[in-house]
Amino acid sequence: MALQDRWSSFMDAPSTYADPLRLVPCFGGELGPDGCARLLTVPRLSSRLSKLILRSYNLSSEALPEDRHIVDVALSNADQLRTLALRA
């Protein structure tokens, strides 16, 4: 899969990797971290939560960031992150 495709897939579904604390502001603080964590576990809400996160944080999957390090970190799994951290 091309890097742009991987980046687009990653950015189009932020609810699949979002931290509950980052979802709290999307609801204006009306829901706490525990409530947001529960919402993130409901598969049928994934698409709607992703749209909410994208809108709230003004995110876009259209273009790769110019800084390649951002892309490398964002698309890395835990083992790859460990390797990147050791190189830094």
Side-chain angles (χ1 to χ4, degrees), residues 42-61:
V42 181
R44 68 182 175 82
L45 296 178
S46 181
S47 177
R48 284 182 267 175
L49 291 174
S50 286
K51 288 176 186 173
L52 178 63
I53 293 166
L54 289 168
R55 194 171 48 250
S56 296
Y57 285 97
N58 197 29
L59 300 173
S60 171
S61 64

